[in-house]
Amino acid sequence: MKNKAKIISIISVVLILIIGIAGYFMYQKSEEEKSIKENLNNITKIETSFSKAETHEEKLNILKSCITEMTDYNKSKEHFEQVTDKYKSTISSMQEVFAKKYDSIIEENTLSNLDSLEDVSTITNNKNNLSSLLSTIDAEKDYVFSSNDDFESYQQKITELTESYTNRITALEEAKKKAEEEAKRKAEEEAKRKAEEEARKKAEEEKAKTHYENEYFSVDVPKEWIDCWSVQEEKRGTDGTIYHFSYDPPGENNGGGGRIFVVDATYGLPQNGLVISEPCDIVGYTSHKFAVFKGIEAGAGFFFDGGATITLK
């Protein structure tokens, strides 16, 4: 009987130990499940906060905080794979939001018709937008990308676009500069042509007003005499012609005059006085044998040094 009682006592102790151990493990399991649930609920709240965040900066701060929490959680003594996986999944979803935003900005600022685009301001604006995006990505790469290769892929794509935009802007600016230089050259040539044309017209007008010409001689007067001088022709039949020149400046008392006589000298100079009836000085002979004489001048004269000049033909 004693042995039987002893055995029963031992069995009771064993059962108590088994029940205690089972209870402990059940308690531990319950605590683990409670901890997992609490962490999963916390991550769900983070996801909700992220989806409700309105600005890029707010979303980025939530992502940073979530990454920090996961790192700290994984370093803790008690961490569970289920929670870690949830962190990873949540962070990956957040990162995808940023990547989609990057892709959207790149797409919005990609010019498919670049080679035919002439608007420098549009190209410059898109280039600046992409450069700004690259700076943003560079600052956020440690949180948004899981590897440096992902960042370098974006970096290369954006750099190639901005370089193509820079080349197009340079080409357009050079073309514009050449066009402006060509327009300037043409404008200068046109201005020069007009100036020359005006000078020619002015010279012709001055010459018309300072020049007299016939088949025997030409006379030129100073331009200061414009509209103040005149000439009259007096035919003397077949014997010759008398040309009466006069200079009468307004408001002055230094006018004068002179006469030029032209006679046929083929057979010598005529002596009948029908053309020349006063003392004269011979100027010379024309190429077709006519003699030209200058008569006595009146007043201040007409053909004098600084006055009118005569040229025989």
Side-chain angles (χ1 to χ4, degrees):
M1 291 293 293
K2 289 183 179 180
N3 289 335
K4 184 176 180 180
K6 187 175 181 180
I7 292 170
I8 292 173
S9 177
I10 292 171
I11 292 173
S12 297
V13 171
V14 171
L15 288 174
I16 292 170
L17 288 174
I18 291 172
I19 292 171
I21 293 171
Y24 172 78
F25 281 107
M26 288 178 65
Y27 174 77
Q28 286 293 101
K29 182 66 174 178
S30 176
E31 289 297 310
E32 288 177 3
E33 291 177 352
K34 182 180 179 181
S35 175
I36 290 172
K37 185 176 180 180
E38 288 177 352
N39 281 288
L40 293 178
N41 287 338
N42 179 58
I43 296 173
T44 299
K45 290 179 181 179
I46 293 174
E47 290 176 328
T48 301
S49 297
F50 183 84
S51 63
K52 289 183 177 180
E54 296 181 353
T55 67
H56 183 91
E57 184 178 2
E58 288 175 338
K59 289 183 179 295
L60 181 63
N61 288 334
I62 293 172
L63 172 60
K64 289 179 180 179
S65 177
C66 190
I67 292 174
T68 300
E69 285 188 18
M70 184 184 71
T71 302
D72 292 341
Y73 179 79
N74 290 337
K75 289 180 180 179
S76 63
K77 292 182 178 180
E78 292 186 357
H79 59 273
F80 302 99
E81 185 177 351
Q82 185 178 351
V83 176
T84 299
D85 290 343
K86 180 62 175 178
Y87 268 120
K88 289 180 179 180
S89 174
T90 298
I91 290 171
S92 177
S93 296
M94 291 180 184
Q95 291 172 332
E96 187 176 350
V97 171
F98 284 90
K100 287 182 177 179
K101 182 65 177 297
Y102 299 159
D103 293 338
S104 176
I105 294 175
I106 292 173
E107 183 178 357
E108 289 173 0
N109 291 278
T110 298
L111 299 169
S112 58
N113 59 336
L114 181 61
D115 291 339
S116 61
L117 195 61
E118 302 289 335
D119 188 356
V120 173
S121 61
T122 297
I123 303 173
T124 301
N125 182 65
N126 285 33
K127 175 189 173 184
N128 292 339
N129 290 341
L130 290 174
S131 296
S132 177
L133 174 62
L134 183 58
S135 297
T136 299
I137 293 176
D138 185 54
E140 300 172 353
K141 63 183 179 180
D142 293 337
Y143 310 103
V144 174
F145 300 116
S146 57
S147 70
N148 193 58
D149 290 342
D150 293 336
F151 164 70
E152 290 180 350
S153 176
Y154 276 92
Q155 184 183 50
Q156 180 179 356
K157 186 173 183 178
I158 294 173
T159 300
E160 288 176 354
L161 280 173
T162 54
E163 286 179 353
S164 67
Y165 292 172
T166 297
N167 293 337
R168 181 59 179 167
I169 291 170
T170 300
L172 289 173
E173 288 177 344
E174 289 178 352
K176 180 181 178 182
K177 182 179 179 181
K178 288 182 180 179
E180 289 175 347
E181 290 175 349
E182 179 65 13
K184 181 181 179 182
R185 183 187 65 79
K186 288 183 177 180
E188 289 175 347
E189 289 180 352
E190 180 63 14
K192 181 180 179 181
R193 186 193 66 78
K194 287 183 177 180
E196 291 175 347
E197 179 66 15
E198 290 175 0
R200 183 188 64 78
K201 288 182 178 179
K202 184 177 180 181
E204 289 178 352
E205 289 174 357
E206 286 186 355
K207 183 176 181 180
K209 294 180 179 181
T210 60
H211 183 79
Y212 167 78
E213 189 169 344
N214 57 42
E215 60 183 311
Y216 308 109
F217 62 85
S218 64
V219 172
D220 292 284
V221 303
K223 63 181 180 180
E224 292 82 7
W225 288 19
I226 291 177
D227 298 329
C228 299
W229 70 283
S230 62
V231 57
Q232 293 181 346
E233 300 178 8
E234 181 185 347
K235 291 283 186 181
R236 292 292 179 91
T238 59
D239 297 306
T241 305
I242 303 174
Y243 299 88
H244 302 272
F245 290 91
S246 64
Y247 169 56
D248 187 19
E252 296 184 17
N253 193 25
N254 59 349
R259 293 192 292 181
I260 297 294
F261 302 90
V262 177
V263 295
D264 188 352
T266 303
Y267 304 104
L269 295 175
Q271 302 296 324
N272 57 11
L274 294 177
V275 178
I276 302 174
S277 59
E278 62 185 65
C280 294
D281 294 324
I282 188 166
V283 178
Y285 296 88
T286 68
S287 60
H288 40 292
K289 303 300 182 181
F290 276 78
V292 179
F293 293 86
K294 182 171 66 173
I296 299 174
E297 298 192 73
F302 195 87
F303 297 98
F304 57 86
D305 188 17
T309 58
I310 183 170
T311 304
L312 304 186
K313 294 185 177 180

